[in-house]
Amino acid sequence: MLTLAQYLETNALPPSEFAARLSKRLNRPVSQQNVYRWTRPMDHDEFSIPSPFAVVAIEQETGGAVAPASWYQHAARQLRLARRRRVA
């Protein structure tokens, strides 16, 4: 499972092109700035998670390479770390 940033890098796809593709798929504007925010590191202040419809559109546009669960990896990781600290 890839993050959106990994997918764009692997496919040499600029955020502006991906935003245009999503705009067509969703039939509404998607800005390059949104794609930029979605590709920031998950602990970055500007990171954001797309709307549920955009998450599904991203999964479809990437042929399943960027799964919905990829947007929540950071939360699962933080919960595992917190649980380990309590146990120790």
Coordinates of all heavy atoms in Angstrom, one line a residue:
M1 N 0.9 -1.2 0.0 CA 0.0 0.0 0.0 C 0.9 1.2 0.0 O 1.8 1.4 0.8 CB -0.9 0.0 1.2 CG -1.7 1.2 1.4 SD -3.0 1.0 2.8 CE -2.1 0.4 4.1
L2 N 0.6 2.1 -0.9 CA 1.4 3.3 -1.1 C 0.7 4.5 -0.5 O -0.6 4.5 -0.4 CB 1.7 3.7 -2.6 CG 2.5 2.7 -3.4 CD1 2.5 3.1 -4.8 CD2 3.9 2.5 -2.8
T3 N 1.4 5.5 -0.1 CA 0.8 6.8 0.2 C 0.7 7.6 -1.1 O 1.3 7.2 -2.1 CB 1.7 7.7 1.2 OG1 2.9 8.0 0.5 CG2 2.0 6.9 2.5
L4 N -0.1 8.6 -1.1 CA -0.3 9.4 -2.3 C 1.1 10.0 -2.8 O 1.4 10.0 -4.0 CB -1.3 10.5 -2.1 CG -1.6 11.4 -3.4 CD1 -2.0 10.5 -4.6 CD2 -2.6 12.4 -3.0
A5 N 1.9 10.5 -1.8 CA 3.2 11.0 -2.2 C 4.0 10.0 -2.9 O 4.7 10.3 -3.9 CB 3.9 11.5 -0.9
Q6 N 4.1 8.8 -2.3 CA 4.8 7.7 -3.0 C 4.3 7.4 -4.4 O 5.1 7.1 -5.3 CB 4.8 6.4 -2.1 CG 5.5 6.6 -0.8 CD 5.2 5.4 0.2 OE1 4.1 4.9 0.2 NE2 6.1 5.1 1.1
Y7 N 3.0 7.3 -4.5 CA 2.4 7.0 -5.8 C 2.8 8.1 -6.8 O 3.2 7.7 -8.0 CB 0.9 6.9 -5.7 CG 0.3 6.7 -7.0 CD1 0.1 5.4 -7.5 CD2 -0.2 7.8 -7.8 CE1 -0.4 5.2 -8.8 CE2 -0.8 7.5 -9.0 CZ -0.9 6.2 -9.5 OH -1.5 6.0 -10.8
L8 N 2.7 9.3 -6.5 CA 3.0 10.4 -7.4 C 4.5 10.4 -7.8 O 4.9 10.5 -8.9 CB 2.7 11.8 -6.8 CG 1.2 12.0 -6.6 CD1 1.0 13.4 -6.0 CD2 0.4 11.9 -7.8
E9 N 5.4 10.1 -6.8 CA 6.8 10.1 -7.0 C 7.2 8.9 -7.9 O 7.9 9.0 -8.9 CB 7.6 10.0 -5.7 CG 9.1 10.0 -5.9 CD 9.8 9.9 -4.6 OE1 9.3 10.4 -3.6 OE2 10.9 9.4 -4.6
T10 N 6.6 7.7 -7.6 CA 6.9 6.5 -8.4 C 6.5 6.7 -9.9 O 7.1 6.2 -10.8 CB 6.1 5.3 -7.8 OG1 6.6 5.1 -6.5 CG2 6.3 4.0 -8.6
N11 N 5.4 7.4 -10.1 CA 4.8 7.5 -11.4 C 5.2 8.9 -12.1 O 4.7 9.2 -13.1 CB 3.3 7.4 -11.4 CG 2.9 6.0 -11.1 OD1 2.9 5.1 -11.9 ND2 2.5 5.7 -9.8
A12 N 6.1 9.6 -11.4 CA 6.6 10.9 -11.9 C 5.4 11.8 -12.4 O 5.4 12.3 -13.4 CB 7.6 10.7 -13.1
L13 N 4.4 11.8 -11.5 CA 3.2 12.5 -11.8 C 3.1 13.8 -10.9 O 3.1 13.7 -9.7 CB 2.0 11.6 -11.4 CG 0.6 12.0 -11.9 CD1 0.5 12.1 -13.4 CD2 -0.4 10.9 -11.4
P14 N 3.1 15.0 -11.6 CA 3.1 16.2 -10.8 C 1.7 16.4 -10.1 O 0.7 15.9 -10.6 CB 3.3 17.3 -11.8 CG 3.3 16.7 -13.2 CD 3.2 15.2 -13.0
P15 N 1.7 17.0 -8.9 CA 0.4 17.3 -8.2 C -0.6 18.0 -9.1 O -1.8 17.7 -9.0 CB 0.8 18.1 -7.0 CG 2.3 17.8 -6.8 CD 2.8 17.5 -8.2
S16 N -0.2 18.9 -10.0 CA -1.1 19.6 -10.8 C -1.9 18.7 -11.8 O -3.1 18.8 -12.0 CB -0.4 20.7 -11.6 OG 0.6 20.2 -12.4
E17 N -1.1 17.7 -12.3 CA -1.8 16.7 -13.2 C -2.7 15.8 -12.5 O -3.8 15.5 -12.9 CB -0.7 15.9 -13.9 CG -1.2 14.7 -14.8 CD -2.1 15.2 -15.9 OE1 -1.9 16.3 -16.4 OE2 -2.9 14.4 -16.4
F18 N -2.3 15.4 -11.3 CA -3.2 14.5 -10.5 C -4.4 15.3 -10.0 O -5.5 14.7 -10.0 CB -2.4 14.0 -9.2 CG -3.1 12.8 -8.6 CD1 -3.1 11.6 -9.2 CD2 -3.8 13.0 -7.4 CE1 -3.8 10.5 -8.6 CE2 -4.5 11.9 -6.8 CZ -4.5 10.7 -7.4
A19 N -4.3 16.5 -9.7 CA -5.4 17.4 -9.3 C -6.4 17.5 -10.5 O -7.6 17.4 -10.3 CB -5.0 18.8 -8.9
A20 N -5.9 17.6 -11.7 CA -6.7 17.7 -12.9 C -7.5 16.4 -13.1 O -8.7 16.4 -13.4 CB -5.9 18.0 -14.1
R21 N -6.8 15.3 -12.9 CA -7.4 13.9 -13.1 C -8.5 13.7 -12.0 O -9.6 13.2 -12.4 CB -6.4 12.8 -12.9 CG -5.4 12.8 -14.1 CD -4.5 11.6 -13.9 NE -3.4 11.6 -14.9 CZ -2.5 10.7 -15.1 NH1 -2.5 9.6 -14.3 NH2 -1.7 10.7 -16.0
L22 N -8.2 14.1 -10.8 CA -9.3 14.0 -9.8 C -10.5 14.9 -10.0 O -11.6 14.5 -9.7 CB -8.7 14.3 -8.4 CG -7.9 13.2 -7.7 CD1 -7.4 13.7 -6.3 CD2 -8.7 11.9 -7.6
S23 N -10.2 16.1 -10.5 CA -11.3 17.0 -10.8 C -12.2 16.4 -11.8 O -13.5 16.5 -11.7 CB -10.7 18.3 -11.4 OG -10.0 19.0 -10.5
K24 N -11.7 15.7 -12.9 CA -12.5 15.1 -13.8 C -13.3 13.9 -13.2 O -14.5 13.7 -13.5 CB -11.7 14.5 -15.0 CG -11.2 15.6 -15.9 CD -10.4 15.0 -17.0 CE -9.7 16.1 -17.9 NZ -8.8 15.6 -18.9
R25 N -12.6 13.1 -12.4 CA -13.3 12.0 -11.8 C -14.4 12.4 -10.8 O -15.5 11.8 -10.7 CB -12.2 11.1 -11.0 CG -12.8 9.8 -10.5 CD -11.7 8.9 -9.9 NE -10.9 8.4 -11.0 CZ -11.2 7.3 -11.7 NH1 -12.3 6.6 -11.5 NH2 -10.4 6.8 -12.6
L26 N -14.2 13.5 -10.0 CA -15.1 13.9 -9.1 C -16.1 14.9 -9.6 O -17.1 15.3 -9.0 CB -14.4 14.6 -7.9 CG -13.6 13.7 -7.0 CD1 -12.7 14.4 -6.0 CD2 -14.6 12.8 -6.2
N27 N -15.9 15.4 -10.8 CA -16.7 16.4 -11.5 C -16.8 17.7 -10.6 O -17.9 18.2 -10.5 CB -18.1 15.8 -11.8 CG -18.8 16.6 -12.8 OD1 -18.2 17.2 -13.7 ND2 -20.2 16.6 -12.8
R28 N -15.7 18.0 -10.0 CA -15.6 19.3 -9.3 C -14.2 19.7 -9.2 O -13.3 18.8 -9.3 CB -16.3 19.2 -7.9 CG -15.5 18.2 -7.0 CD -16.1 18.3 -5.6 NE -15.6 17.3 -4.7 CZ -14.4 17.4 -4.1 NH1 -13.7 18.5 -4.2 NH2 -14.0 16.4 -3.3
P29 N -13.9 20.9 -9.0 CA -12.4 21.3 -8.9 C -11.7 20.7 -7.7 O -12.2 20.6 -6.6 CB -12.5 22.8 -8.8 CG -13.9 23.2 -9.1 CD -14.8 22.0 -8.8
V30 N -10.5 20.3 -8.0 CA -9.5 19.8 -7.0 C -8.3 20.6 -7.2 O -7.7 20.6 -8.3 CB -9.2 18.3 -7.1 CG1 -8.2 17.9 -6.1 CG2 -10.5 17.5 -6.8
S31 N -7.9 21.4 -6.2 CA -6.7 22.2 -6.4 C -5.4 21.5 -6.2 O -5.3 20.5 -5.5 CB -6.7 23.4 -5.4 OG -6.5 23.0 -4.1
Q32 N -4.4 22.0 -6.9 CA -3.0 21.5 -6.7 C -2.6 21.6 -5.2 O -1.9 20.8 -4.7 CB -2.0 22.3 -7.6 CG -0.6 21.8 -7.4 CD 0.3 22.6 -8.3 OE1 -0.1 23.3 -9.3 NE2 1.6 22.6 -8.0
Q33 N -3.1 22.7 -4.6 CA -2.7 22.9 -3.2 C -3.3 21.8 -2.3 O -2.7 21.3 -1.4 CB -3.3 24.3 -2.7 CG -2.9 24.6 -1.3 CD -1.4 24.7 -1.0 OE1 -0.7 25.1 -1.9 NE2 -1.0 24.4 0.1
N34 N -4.5 21.3 -2.6 CA -5.1 20.2 -1.9 C -4.2 18.9 -2.0 O -3.9 18.3 -1.1 CB -6.5 19.9 -2.3 CG -7.5 20.8 -1.7 OD1 -7.2 21.4 -0.7 ND2 -8.7 20.8 -2.3
V35 N -3.8 18.7 -3.3 CA -2.9 17.5 -3.5 C -1.6 17.6 -2.7 O -1.1 16.7 -2.1 CB -2.7 17.3 -5.0 CG1 -1.7 16.1 -5.2 CG2 -4.0 17.0 -5.7
Y36 N -1.1 18.9 -2.7 CA 0.1 19.1 -2.0 C -0.1 18.8 -0.5 O 0.8 18.1 0.1 CB 0.5 20.6 -2.2 CG 1.7 21.1 -1.3 CD1 3.0 20.7 -1.6 CD2 1.4 21.8 -0.1 CE1 4.0 21.2 -0.8 CE2 2.4 22.2 0.7 CZ 3.7 21.9 0.3 OH 4.8 22.3 1.2
R37 N -1.2 19.3 0.1 CA -1.4 19.0 1.5 C -1.6 17.5 1.8 O -1.2 17.0 2.8 CB -2.7 19.7 2.0 CG -2.5 21.2 2.1 CD -3.7 21.9 2.6 NE -3.5 23.3 2.6 CZ -4.3 24.2 2.0 NH1 -5.3 23.8 1.3 NH2 -4.0 25.5 2.1
W38 N -2.2 16.8 0.8 CA -2.4 15.4 1.0 C -1.1 14.6 0.9 O -1.0 13.4 1.3 CB -3.4 14.8 0.0 CG -4.7 15.5 0.0 CD1 -5.3 16.1 1.1 CD2 -5.7 15.5 -1.0 NE1 -6.6 16.5 0.7 CE2 -6.8 16.2 -0.6 CE3 -5.7 15.1 -2.4 CZ2 -7.9 16.5 -1.3 CZ3 -6.8 15.4 -3.2 CH2 -7.9 16.0 -2.6
T39 N -0.1 15.2 0.3 CA 1.2 14.5 0.1 C 2.3 14.9 1.2 O 3.4 14.4 1.2 CB 1.8 14.7 -1.3 OG1 2.0 16.1 -1.5 CG2 0.9 14.2 -2.3
R40 N 1.9 15.8 2.1 CA 2.9 16.2 3.1 C 3.1 15.0 4.0 O 2.2 14.1 4.2 CB 2.3 17.4 3.9 CG 2.1 18.6 3.1 CD 3.3 19.1 2.3 NE 4.3 19.5 3.3 CZ 5.6 19.6 3.0 NH1 6.0 19.3 1.8 NH2 6.5 20.0 3.9
P41 N 4.2 15.0 4.8 CA 4.4 13.9 5.8 C 3.2 14.0 6.8 O 2.7 15.1 7.1 CB 5.7 14.3 6.4 CG 6.4 15.1 5.4 CD 5.4 15.8 4.7
M42 N 2.8 12.9 7.3 CA 1.6 12.8 8.1 C 1.8 13.6 9.5 O 0.8 13.9 10.1 CB 1.2 11.4 8.4 CG 0.7 10.7 7.2 SD 0.3 9.0 7.4 CE -0.4 8.6 5.8
D43 N 3.0 13.8 9.9 CA 3.2 14.6 11.1 C 3.5 16.1 10.8 O 3.8 16.9 11.7 CB 4.4 14.0 11.9 CG 5.7 14.0 11.2 OD1 5.7 14.3 9.9 OD2 6.7 13.7 11.8
H44 N 3.3 16.5 9.6 CA 3.5 17.9 9.1 C 2.3 18.7 9.5 O 1.2 18.2 9.4 CB 3.8 17.9 7.6 CG 4.3 19.3 7.2 ND1 3.5 20.3 6.9 CD2 5.6 19.7 6.9 CE1 4.2 21.3 6.5 NE2 5.5 21.0 6.5
D45 N 2.5 20.0 9.8 CA 1.3 20.8 10.2 C 0.3 21.0 9.0 O -0.8 21.2 9.3 CB 1.8 22.2 10.6 CG 2.5 22.2 12.0 OD1 2.3 21.2 12.7 OD2 3.2 23.2 12.3
E46 N 0.8 21.0 7.8 CA -0.1 21.2 6.7 C -0.7 19.9 6.1 O -1.5 20.0 5.2 CB 0.7 21.9 5.6 CG 1.1 23.3 5.9 CD 1.8 24.0 4.8 OE1 1.8 23.5 3.7 OE2 2.3 25.1 5.1
F47 N -0.3 18.7 6.7 CA -0.9 17.5 6.2 C -2.4 17.5 6.5 O -2.9 18.0 7.5 CB -0.3 16.3 7.0 CG -1.1 15.0 6.7 CD1 -0.9 14.4 5.5 CD2 -1.9 14.4 7.6 CE1 -1.6 13.2 5.2 CE2 -2.5 13.2 7.4 CZ -2.4 12.6 6.1
S48 N -3.2 17.0 5.5 CA -4.6 16.9 5.7 C -5.1 15.6 5.0 O -4.4 15.1 4.1 CB -5.4 18.1 5.1 OG -5.3 18.2 3.8
I49 N -6.2 15.1 5.5 CA -6.8 13.9 4.9 C -7.9 14.4 4.0 O -8.8 15.2 4.4 CB -7.3 13.0 6.0 CG1 -6.2 12.5 6.9 CG2 -8.1 11.8 5.4 CD1 -6.6 11.7 8.1
P50 N -8.0 13.8 2.8 CA -9.1 14.2 1.8 C -10.5 13.8 2.4 O -10.6 13.0 3.2 CB -8.8 13.4 0.6 CG -7.4 12.9 0.7 CD -7.1 12.8 2.2
S51 N -11.5 14.4 1.8 CA -12.9 14.0 2.1 C -13.1 12.6 1.7 O -12.3 12.0 0.9 CB -13.8 14.9 1.3 OG -13.8 14.5 -0.1
P52 N -14.0 11.9 2.3 CA -14.3 10.5 1.9 C -14.5 10.3 0.5 O -14.0 9.3 -0.1 CB -15.6 10.2 2.7 CG -15.5 11.1 3.9 CD -14.9 12.4 3.4
F53 N -15.2 11.2 -0.2 CA -15.3 11.0 -1.7 C -14.0 11.1 -2.4 O -13.8 10.4 -3.4 CB -16.3 12.0 -2.2 CG -17.8 11.7 -1.9 CD1 -18.4 12.5 -1.0 CD2 -18.4 10.7 -2.4 CE1 -19.8 12.3 -0.6 CE2 -19.7 10.4 -2.1 CZ -20.4 11.2 -1.2
A54 N -13.2 12.0 -2.0 CA -11.9 12.2 -2.6 C -11.0 11.0 -2.3 O -10.2 10.5 -3.2 CB -11.2 13.5 -2.1
V55 N -11.1 10.4 -1.1 CA -10.3 9.2 -0.8 C -10.7 8.1 -1.7 O -9.8 7.4 -2.3 CB -10.5 8.8 0.7 CG1 -10.0 7.4 1.0 CG2 -9.9 9.8 1.6
V56 N -11.9 7.9 -2.0 CA -12.4 6.8 -2.9 C -11.9 7.2 -4.3 O -11.5 6.3 -5.0 CB -13.9 6.7 -2.8 CG1 -14.4 5.7 -3.9 CG2 -14.3 6.1 -1.4
A57 N -12.0 8.4 -4.7 CA -11.6 8.8 -6.1 C -10.1 8.6 -6.2 O -9.7 8.1 -7.3 CB -12.0 10.3 -6.3
I58 N -9.3 8.9 -5.2 CA -7.9 8.6 -5.3 C -7.6 7.2 -5.4 O -6.7 6.8 -6.2 CB -7.2 9.2 -4.0 CG1 -7.2 10.8 -4.1 CG2 -5.7 8.7 -3.9 CD1 -6.9 11.5 -2.8
E59 N -8.3 6.3 -4.7 CA -8.1 4.9 -4.8 C -8.4 4.4 -6.2 O -7.7 3.7 -6.8 CB -9.0 4.1 -3.8 CG -8.8 2.6 -3.9 CD -9.8 1.9 -3.0 OE1 -10.9 2.3 -2.8 OE2 -9.3 0.8 -2.5
Q60 N -9.5 4.9 -6.8 CA -9.9 4.6 -8.2 C -8.9 5.1 -9.2 O -8.5 4.4 -10.1 CB -11.3 5.1 -8.5 CG -12.3 4.4 -7.7 CD -13.7 5.0 -7.9 OE1 -13.8 6.1 -8.4 NE2 -14.7 4.3 -7.4
E61 N -8.4 6.3 -9.0 CA -7.5 6.9 -10.0 C -6.1 6.3 -9.9 O -5.4 6.2 -10.9 CB -7.4 8.4 -9.7 CG -6.6 9.2 -10.7 CD -7.3 9.2 -12.1 OE1 -8.5 9.3 -12.2 OE2 -6.6 9.1 -13.1
T62 N -5.8 5.7 -8.8 CA -4.5 5.1 -8.7 C -4.6 3.6 -8.9 O -3.6 2.8 -8.7 CB -3.8 5.3 -7.3 OG1 -4.7 4.8 -6.3 CG2 -3.6 6.8 -7.0
G63 N -5.7 3.1 -9.3 CA -5.9 1.6 -9.5 C -5.7 0.8 -8.3 O -5.3 -0.3 -8.3
G64 N -6.1 1.4 -7.1 CA -6.0 0.7 -5.9 C -4.7 0.8 -5.2 O -4.5 0.3 -4.0
A65 N -3.7 1.5 -5.8 CA -2.4 1.6 -5.2 C -2.4 2.4 -3.9 O -1.6 2.1 -3.0 CB -1.4 2.1 -6.1
V66 N -3.3 3.4 -3.8 CA -3.4 4.2 -2.6 C -4.7 3.9 -2.0 O -5.8 4.4 -2.4 CB -3.3 5.7 -3.0 CG1 -3.4 6.6 -1.7 CG2 -2.0 6.0 -3.7
A67 N -4.7 3.0 -1.1 CA -5.9 2.5 -0.4 C -6.4 3.5 0.6 O -5.6 4.2 1.2 CB -5.7 1.1 0.2
P68 N -7.7 3.5 0.9 CA -8.3 4.3 2.0 C -7.5 4.2 3.3 O -7.3 5.2 4.0 CB -9.7 3.9 2.1 CG -10.1 3.5 0.7 CD -8.8 2.8 0.2
A69 N -7.1 3.0 3.6 CA -6.4 2.8 4.9 C -5.1 3.6 5.0 O -4.6 3.9 6.1 CB -6.1 1.3 5.1
S70 N -4.5 3.9 3.8 CA -3.2 4.6 3.8 C -3.3 6.0 4.5 O -2.3 6.5 5.0 CB -2.7 4.8 2.4 OG -3.4 5.7 1.7
W71 N -4.5 6.6 4.5 CA -4.6 7.9 5.1 C -4.6 7.8 6.7 O -4.5 8.8 7.3 CB -5.9 8.5 4.7 CG -5.9 8.7 3.2 CD1 -6.6 7.9 2.3 CD2 -5.2 9.6 2.4 NE1 -6.3 8.3 1.0 CE2 -5.4 9.4 1.1 CE3 -4.4 10.7 2.8 CZ2 -4.9 10.2 0.1 CZ3 -3.8 11.5 1.8 CH2 -4.1 11.2 0.4
Y72 N -4.7 6.6 7.2 CA -4.8 6.5 8.7 C -3.7 5.7 9.3 O -3.7 5.3 10.5 CB -6.2 5.8 9.0 CG -7.3 6.7 8.5 CD1 -8.0 6.4 7.3 CD2 -7.7 7.8 9.2 CE1 -9.0 7.2 6.8 CE2 -8.7 8.6 8.7 CZ -9.3 8.3 7.5 OH -10.3 9.1 7.0
Q73 N -2.6 5.4 8.5 CA -1.5 4.7 9.0 C -0.9 5.4 10.2 O -0.5 4.8 11.2 CB -0.4 4.6 7.9 CG -0.8 3.8 6.8 CD 0.3 3.8 5.7 OE1 1.4 4.1 6.0 NE2 0.0 3.5 4.5
H74 N -0.8 6.7 10.2 CA -0.2 7.5 11.3 C -0.9 7.3 12.6 O -0.4 7.2 13.6 CB 0.0 9.0 10.9 CG -1.3 9.7 10.8 ND1 -2.2 9.4 9.8 CD2 -1.9 10.6 11.5 CE1 -3.3 10.2 9.9 NE2 -3.1 10.9 11.0
A75 N -2.3 7.3 12.5 CA -3.1 7.1 13.7 C -2.9 5.7 14.3 O -2.7 5.6 15.5 CB -4.5 7.3 13.4
A76 N -2.8 4.7 13.5 CA -2.6 3.3 14.0 C -1.2 3.2 14.6 O -1.1 2.6 15.7 CB -2.8 2.3 12.8
R77 N -0.2 3.8 14.0 CA 1.1 3.8 14.5 C 1.2 4.5 15.9 O 1.8 4.0 16.8 CB 2.1 4.5 13.5 CG 3.5 4.1 13.6 CD 4.3 4.6 12.5 NE 3.8 4.3 11.2 CZ 3.6 5.2 10.2 NH1 4.0 6.5 10.4 NH2 3.0 4.9 9.1
Q78 N 0.5 5.6 16.0 CA 0.6 6.4 17.3 C -0.1 5.6 18.4 O 0.3 5.5 19.5 CB -0.1 7.7 17.1 CG 0.8 8.7 16.3 CD 0.1 10.0 16.0 OE1 -1.1 10.1 16.1 NE2 0.9 11.0 15.6
L79 N -1.2 4.9 18.1 CA -2.0 4.1 19.1 C -1.1 2.9 19.5 O -1.1 2.6 20.7 CB -3.3 3.6 18.5 CG -4.4 4.7 18.4 CD1 -5.6 4.2 17.7 CD2 -4.7 5.2 19.8
R80 N -0.4 2.3 18.6 CA 0.5 1.2 18.9 C 1.6 1.6 19.9 O 1.9 1.0 20.9 CB 1.0 0.5 17.7 CG 0.1 -0.4 17.0 CD 0.8 -1.3 16.0 NE 1.5 -0.5 14.9 CZ 1.0 -0.1 13.8 NH1 -0.3 -0.3 13.6 NH2 1.7 0.6 12.9
L81 N 2.2 2.8 19.6 CA 3.2 3.3 20.4 C 2.7 3.6 21.8 O 3.4 3.4 22.8 CB 3.9 4.5 19.8 CG 4.7 4.2 18.5 CD1 5.2 5.6 17.9 CD2 5.9 3.4 18.9
A82 N 1.5 4.3 21.9 CA 1.0 4.6 23.2 C 0.7 3.4 24.0 O 0.9 3.3 25.2 CB -0.3 5.4 22.9
R83 N 0.2 2.3 23.3 CA -0.1 1.1 24.1 C 1.2 0.5 24.6 O 1.2 0.0 25.7 CB -0.8 0.1 23.1 CG -1.3 -1.2 23.8 CD -2.1 -2.1 22.9 NE -3.3 -1.4 22.5 CZ -3.8 -1.5 21.3 NH1 -3.3 -2.3 20.4 NH2 -5.0 -0.9 21.0
R84 N 2.2 0.5 23.8 CA 3.5 -0.1 24.3 C 4.0 0.7 25.5 O 4.6 0.1 26.4 CB 4.5 0.0 23.2 CG 4.3 -1.1 22.1 CD 5.4 -1.0 21.1 NE 5.0 -1.8 19.9 CZ 5.5 -1.5 18.7 NH1 6.3 -0.6 18.4 NH2 5.1 -2.3 17.7
R85 N 3.9 2.0 25.5 CA 4.4 2.8 26.6 C 3.6 2.5 27.9 O 4.2 2.5 29.0 CB 4.2 4.3 26.3 CG 5.3 4.8 25.3 CD 5.2 6.3 25.2 NE 5.7 6.6 23.8 CZ 5.0 7.3 22.9 NH1 3.8 7.7 23.2 NH2 5.5 7.5 21.7
R86 N 2.3 2.3 27.8 CA 1.5 1.9 29.0 C 1.8 0.6 29.5 O 1.8 0.4 30.7 CB 0.0 2.0 28.6 CG -0.5 3.4 28.6 CD -2.0 3.3 28.3 NE -2.1 3.1 26.9 CZ -3.2 3.1 26.2 NH1 -4.3 3.4 26.8 NH2 -3.2 2.9 24.9
V87 N 2.2 -0.4 28.6 CA 2.5 -1.7 29.1 C 3.9 -1.8 29.7 O 4.1 -2.5 30.7 CB 2.4 -2.7 27.8 CG1 3.0 -4.1 28.2 CG2 1.0 -2.8 27.3
A88 N 4.8 -1.0 29.2 CA 6.2 -1.0 29.7 C 6.3 -0.4 31.1 O 5.7 0.0 31.8 CB 7.1 -0.3 28.8

